[in-house]
Amino acid sequence: MRRRPGLSARLKLALSYAGFLFVAGALLLAVVWWFLLRYVPDNSQGLLGISPNRYLLVRTFAPAAAVAMAFLLVFGLLGGWVLAGRMLRPLTQITDAARTAGRGSLSHRIGMEGRQDEFRELSDAFDSMLEQLESHVAEQQRFAANASHELRTPLAISRTLLDVARKDPGQDRGELIERLYAVNTRAIDLTEALLLLSRGDGGNFTRESVDLSLAAEEAAETLLPLAEERGITLEVTGGPALTSGSAELLLRMVTNLVQNAVVHNLPDGGTVTVRTAAYGDASVLRVENTGRVLPADLVPTLIEPFRRGTERVRNDEHAGVGLGLAIVHSIVRAHDGTLDVEPRPAGGLVATVRLPPVT
């Protein structure tokens, strides 16, 4: 937004300093006049015949007072200009950093030195904001690149299948249709996951009271055939855990956690345990599953988009796109909660969701 030019803050401060000194000098002269000169006799003999009278004192004092007032005015302007420049120097650094960030360079930091004061506090807050912005922009760019890559893969496969069918008219069309259907289904699932992730990050949903225990039972009932097919025992325990949020998103959160626990489990004889509980400061959902032993440095990356981990890649019909836990993390964050993912010493994961309780 364009604004009309005005006086700089430095000039305003300098004028304020000069005005303050001028007023202080005028008050001092008024005090001298009121408490000294007004008591000097105003006659031809002066005081006791040896001191000058008021008229002579005024004529002698007035020019010196005028010179002193002029000096105070000039000294106030020059000194105020220098002092204002020194005081506003940190603000100039912050302004330059803001302009640099506005040109797209988010890696610049002010790094203001010195003891803590208002300007240093503002500088530190600005550096923290730049750090978060840089991290967010980098995350969004990485997410966009990964999403483009993931979406390009099924499209490239579909194009290859169609090219082969066009060059070989005698190919079995039933097999071609099945393969195209599978590829198209995967692309649709990925697109829906991206939309759900975007919706969770935006936080645009209507809040209502949701019982996590009911959502856990519904998710378990939906995924029970998958668990039975893989020979996995699925158990839901615990009591009511009320929270406020979107029933659809929270059900998707629980479903993703349970499905992730079922799919990434032992080949046979594994277990998945879902527990819900209500504490004074949180409604807790805990999903624990058996499985392979995971490296400690791999676990924190599992909630990042498109990060599957070398030990967690599946080649069956339930192979994911690396967005399951990322969607869970997004939904939990949109509901002002926390998600903790820890490896079990015997193998598998423990995912704990803490959400604000209904008040």
Side-chain angles (χ1 to χ4, degrees):
M1 181 177 63
R2 297 185 61 86
R3 301 178 185 272
R4 292 185 301 175
L7 297 179
S8 65
R10 185 177 184 181
L11 181 56
K12 291 179 180 179
L13 286 175
L15 292 176
S16 300
Y17 295 153
F20 177 79
L21 281 179
F22 189 82
V23 172
L27 290 175
L28 181 60
L29 292 179
V31 169
V32 171
W33 169 260
W34 181 259
F35 289 100
L36 181 62
L37 294 183
R38 68 190 294 261
Y39 294 108
V40 176
D42 190 11
N43 52 53
S44 59
Q45 297 299 322
L47 182 62
L48 302 177
I50 59 175
S51 299
N53 58 26
R54 187 189 305 174
Y55 172 76
L56 293 176
L57 288 177
V58 171
R59 289 192 59 183
T60 305
F61 180 72
V67 172
M69 293 298 295
F71 173 78
L72 286 178
L73 183 61
V74 175
F75 180 77
L77 287 173
L78 295 179
W81 180 263
V82 174
L83 289 177
R86 292 178 60 88
M87 291 294 297
L88 294 177
R89 186 177 302 168
L91 190 60
T92 303
Q93 292 180 265
I94 297 174
T95 302
D96 293 339
R99 288 173 177 169
T100 302
R103 291 191 293 267
S105 177
L106 298 178
S107 60
H108 176 72
R109 299 292 183 271
I110 301 174
M112 191 175 298
E113 300 178 352
R115 296 184 178 181
Q116 185 70 15
D117 58 14
E118 288 80 358
F119 286 115
R120 272 70 181 179
E121 186 176 356
L122 177 61
S123 172
D124 294 342
F126 190 81
D127 283 345
S128 177
M129 182 192 68
L130 285 180
E131 184 176 356
Q132 293 181 5
L133 282 176
E134 184 181 18
S135 175
H136 182 71
V137 170
E139 181 181 352
Q140 292 297 321
Q141 291 175 347
R142 184 170 61 252
F143 177 81
N146 290 333
S148 300
H149 175 74
E150 293 287 343
L151 286 172
R152 183 177 60 182
T153 300
L155 294 177
I157 295 175
S158 299
R159 181 176 179 178
T160 301
L161 292 175
L162 292 175
D163 287 340
V164 172
R166 185 176 59 181
K167 295 177 182 179
D168 185 9
Q171 187 181 12
D172 186 1
R173 294 187 177 273
E175 179 183 358
L176 174 64
I177 292 175
E178 289 297 328
R179 297 179 65 182
L180 285 176
Y181 178 81
V183 173
N184 187 59
T185 300
R186 182 176 177 83
I188 292 176
D189 292 341
L190 175 59
T191 303
E192 291 179 350
L194 292 174
L195 291 175
L196 185 61
L197 185 62
S198 174
R199 182 184 175 189
D201 287 333
N204 299 321
F205 50 81
T206 302
R207 292 181 178 269
E208 57 182 304
S209 179
V210 179
D211 190 347
L212 295 179
S213 63
L214 298 180
E217 292 178 0
E218 183 175 351
E221 183 179 355
T222 302
L223 295 170
L224 184 58
L226 175 62
E228 292 177 345
E229 177 185 347
R230 294 170 176 264
I232 295 174
T233 302
L234 179 57
E235 180 183 4
V236 179
T237 62
L242 295 177
T243 187
S244 177
S246 169
E248 178 187 358
L249 291 179
L250 291 176
L251 176 59
R252 183 60 182 267
M253 175 196 74
V254 179
T255 302
N256 279 15
L257 285 175
V258 177
Q259 181 176 355
N260 186 79
V262 171
V263 172
H264 303 292
N265 212 308
L266 296 176
D268 188 27
T271 60
V272 175
T273 304
V274 183
R275 294 186 178 91
T276 58
Y279 299 99
D281 58 345
S283 295
V284 179
L285 169 72
R286 180 185 175 95
V287 180
E288 181 176 356
N289 70 292
T290 55
R292 297 179 180 179
V293 178
L294 298 176
D297 57 345
L298 173 66
V299 175
T301 67
L302 297 179
I303 61 175
E304 298 180 11
F306 305 104
R307 295 296 296 270
R308 305 180 184 88
T310 56
E311 299 294 331
R312 294 168 61 81
V313 176
R314 304 288 299 194
N315 296 319
D316 53 19
E317 68 275 11
H318 295 282
V321 295
L323 290 176
L325 289 180
I327 291 176
V328 171
H329 185 228
S330 174
I331 295 175
V332 171
R333 186 171 50 189
H335 287 78
D336 303 320
T338 59
L339 170 65
D340 296 323
V341 181
E342 300 176 350
R344 296 177 70 248
L349 282 176
V350 178
T352 305
V353 175
R354 293 179 176 86
L355 297 175
V358 174
T359 57

